[in-house]
Amino acid sequence: MSLDLAYFPDEAAPAARLARALDARLCPVATHRFPDGEILPRVQAPAGEVTIIYRSLDRPNEKLIELLLATDAWRRAGAGRLILVAPYLCYLRQDVVFAAGEPLSRDAVGGMIGRLVDGLITVQAHLHRTADLTQVFGIPVRNLCPTEPFAAALPTYRAPVVLGPDEESAPWVRAMAERLGGDAGNLKKTRRGDRDVQMALGTPVDVRGRAVVIVDDIASSGQTLARAAEWARGAGAASVDVAVAHALMDEGATERLRRAGARLIVSTAAALAPLLAQAVREMIGRL
Ligand code: R5P
């Protein structure tokens, strides 16, 4: 089956890696920007039955409009099935209405994406109170766990402690600890604001003299990882490395994280192509 892999110019490198892994034709989307800020994407006519759209949805507001317009263009050009590969999936934080007057962002945005494409593949989505993404989006969704790409990207440790910054990270922390041959532990996070978090020990674990790997799904301000790294250093860890699936931090936050004691900051962005390609093949078989 011939496959098209559509991408936007700012993501040419990861799209090319995925296209190579899938032996797909690369189809760039050109976007014109009008003087007032409106955008006009122009897509290539699909050649195959399936078009894969590579679009990681970090900093998503403009990307969502672009996706809305581009998928309309693909449908009008006769596209068959559209599969969105979005390694980072946006707007999952607000997975309940926390306060009166606020939206249920997860369902509002998820429902919109689900009406645009036929299948969705993402990586280590931020799931605190969401049991089933397929139900939220109304289409088949695969949420991939990047345990293997992380194991390949991290150094070889002798019995490390894998530490999660909050209770929700426990399942992934356990999986990484098993894969790296170490122990699992979790901190207890109290968030007081977007850039104000505090850490205390959750599940008991002794990090004294040991290599610690802190794992998390997303770093935004970087405060969570920085406080966790400080905690591990303060508790006597021999070294502290950080493995974060989606490092959305800016340079300043990365520097603050280093100052907090993080030695290596590893994200899997460059090593995801084989995992994504396998998921794409499996999803094509299901659609
Ligand atoms: C929260 O539940 C997530 O797993 C991350 O820990 C959080 O989003 C990180 O945010 P920040 O980097 O702003 O502390």
Side-chain angles (χ1 to χ4, degrees), residues 11 55-61 63 88-90 246 248:
E11 290 179 314
R55 197 51 161 157
S56 202
L57 291 172
D58 54 295
R59 295 174 177 80
N61 298 347
K63 290 180 179 179
Y88 178 72
L89 196 50
C90 55
H246 307 290
L248 310 184

Side-chain angles (χ1 to χ4, degrees), residues 126 128 166 189 191 194 216-224:
H126 180 86
H128 282 192
D166 49 31
K189 174 164 82 176
R191 181 179 285 282
D194 284 347
D216 205 0
D217 53 356
I218 162 176
S220 176
S221 69
Q223 291 294 322
T224 298

